[in-house]
Amino acid sequence: MSRKRAIAALSALSAFATILTVLLVAGPAAAGPMAAAAEGGSGGMALLAAAIAVAGSSIGAAIAVAYTGAAALAAMSERPELFGRAMVIVGLAEGIAIYGLIVAIILIGRA
């Protein structure tokens, strides 16, 4: 397996694990605090899901920024006028980590 395929598979796996954890934890928490308290509480699981959301999105963002940053530098070395466009693409890749942080803040608020 090539390195790019291994990294893509790892990114997909971390995204799947993050989404699965968020769905498993946010389901009981969305029912309300009384229902969660009646079930024994899910505060610890919500905090764990928040940690996994941040970790997964940060890993995905790091991989995305690594590839887009390298491509942006290569493009700018040939055509310096592409700086603005290249930084927008790198910024979009960094947005992945911000989405994970937002999900974590929502989960911590429900814990």
Side-chain angles (χ1 to χ4, degrees):
M1 181 182 283
S2 70
R3 183 174 179 205
K4 286 185 180 181
R5 284 190 181 186
I7 290 174
L10 179 65
S11 297
L13 183 63
S14 68
F16 176 74
T18 302
I19 291 171
L20 183 64
T21 305
V22 168
L23 289 177
L24 289 176
V25 173
M34 293 303 215
E39 294 177 6
S42 64
M45 288 297 291
L47 296 177
L48 180 64
I52 291 174
V54 170
S57 65
S58 297
I59 290 171
I63 293 170
V65 168
Y67 282 116
T68 57
L73 285 175
M76 285 188 300
S77 68
E78 293 180 10
R79 293 180 52 196
E81 64 271 8
L82 292 177
F83 177 77
R85 291 181 184 172
M87 288 302 110
V88 168
I89 301 298
V90 173
L92 289 173
E94 186 61 33
I96 297 169
I98 295 171
Y99 297 143
L101 184 64
I102 291 170
V103 168
I105 290 170
I106 291 171
L107 286 174
I108 289 172
R110 290 186 178 180

